[in-house]
Amino acid sequence: MDSKQLARKAISLLDLTNLNDDCTDEAIEALCAKAQTPYGNTAAVCVWPRFVKKAGEYLKGTGIKIATVVNFPQGGESLEATLDETVKAIADGADEIDLVIPYKAFLAQRRGFAETMVLRVKAALPETVRLKTILETGELKDPAIIRAASDMAITAGADFIKTSTGKVSVNATPEAAEIMIKAIADSGKPVGFKPAGGVRSLDDAGVYLAIAEKHMGADWASPETFRFGASGVLDALIAVMEGETAEAGEGY
């Protein structure tokens, strides 16, 4: 696949993201407009829960999914608060819920609690709403723990496993991606993968797609099975499509 084919594919797999603390209605309107590119729409936009309804208004009829985050970014331990966030986001029109697992509890050997949160949030979702579980792999660090968290999330019903919030010092890495995609392959379940945080260039995107192809086959990565979580990479991808040289994108 040449660079333009790769860029077009990456655009179609992108969850275009604004999770800035100072995000505004105007920024969401701009994000939703940007998600509709001359080279195809992004797969989704990912926004704070308070902007889900607004994003739905801007994206009506486009086919672009609306993703939002719960228990984000701390991965706290309030199950009821997380469920409340989830139910409200669904009522506001969210198509996808990106749940930060309580990773500190997981690290503290309270893995049953982490599993319970995934199970309860999954149970709160209509069949049409997807659950992406954010493992925060840069904080889990140990490969065996990343694998255990991946297995837990898959077993508990996650539709995607996602590396990171983009809010810690180490976010998506190829090493974590290898572990997580291998867990998906070994499970035999129809679970997707989402690297998030630090995907800023066509080369970055190509690295993660190559890992997916190695473990899952050349035709596996589609919007149903693979997403990039990023804010800054879209400009770089569009520059490739237009035959320009771009600086690596900034942001999440």
Side-chain angles (χ1 to χ4, degrees):
M1 172 179 317
D2 67 25
S3 61
K4 287 191 176 181
Q5 289 173 315
L6 181 59
R8 188 182 292 273
K9 184 177 182 72
I11 290 168
S12 76
L13 303 176
L14 181 61
D15 284 3
L16 187 64
T17 301
N18 188 330
L19 295 170
N20 296 335
D21 292 336
D22 60 354
C23 188
T24 63
D25 285 352
E26 291 75 20
I28 293 301
E29 183 176 10
L31 186 80
C32 293
K34 192 173 182 179
Q36 302 168 67
T37 88
Y39 310 104
N41 291 343
T42 67
V45 298
C46 187
V47 300
W48 289 108
R50 65 185 180 272
F51 295 116
V52 166
K53 191 174 288 188
K54 187 68 67 176
E57 294 169 5
Y58 293 136
L59 292 174
K60 187 174 182 179
T62 65
I64 298 170
K65 301 295 187 185
I66 300 165
T68 194
V69 290
V70 298
N71 205 30
F72 186 96
Q74 293 87 2
E77 297 187 18
S78 178
L79 178 56
E80 293 309 316
T82 301
L83 288 169
D84 287 347
E85 272 189 307
T86 300
V87 170
K88 185 177 188 309
I90 294 165
D92 284 348
D95 300 299
E96 301 174 355
I97 299 293
D98 287 29
L99 163 71
V100 185
I101 71 164
Y103 60 88
K104 297 183 186 77
F106 197 87
L107 281 168
Q109 301 300 317
R110 296 171 54 226
R111 297 182 178 185
F113 175 77
E115 183 178 33
T116 296
M117 184 175 283
V118 178
L119 286 165
R120 291 284 304 277
V121 172
K122 176 68 174 178
L125 303 184
E127 286 187 10
T128 54
V129 177
R130 288 181 176 163
L131 175 62
K132 305 193 198 91
T133 49
I134 304 173
L135 307 185
E136 203 68 290
T137 53
E139 297 295 294
L140 297 181
K141 297 176 183 172
D142 184 285
I145 296 175
I146 294 171
R147 175 60 192 249
S150 300
D151 291 341
M152 178 277 292
I154 291 168
T155 301
D159 298 299
F160 272 73
I161 53 176
K162 173 178 170 181
T163 59
S164 324
T165 60
K167 300 288 189 179
V168 294
S169 58
V170 176
N171 292 287
T173 65
E175 294 76 17
E178 287 272 3
I179 296 164
M180 294 170 71
I181 295 176
K182 183 69 163 51
I184 293 169
D186 290 347
S187 77
K189 294 185 176 182
V191 175
F193 171 69
K194 179 177 172 178
V199 181
R200 298 193 175 98
S201 68
L202 182 65
D203 287 345
D204 292 337
V207 166
Y208 291 106
L209 286 169
I211 294 168
E213 181 173 343
K214 180 173 81 170
H215 292 287
M216 304 301 293
D219 298 324
W220 181 73
S222 76
E224 303 298 310
T225 59
F226 191 104
R227 302 285 181 83
F228 295 106
S231 60
V233 73
L234 184 57
D235 290 340
L237 297 175
I238 289 174
V240 171
M241 295 301 300
E242 295 178 349
E244 300 171 6
T245 301
E247 297 288 332
E250 297 296 325
Y252 175 87

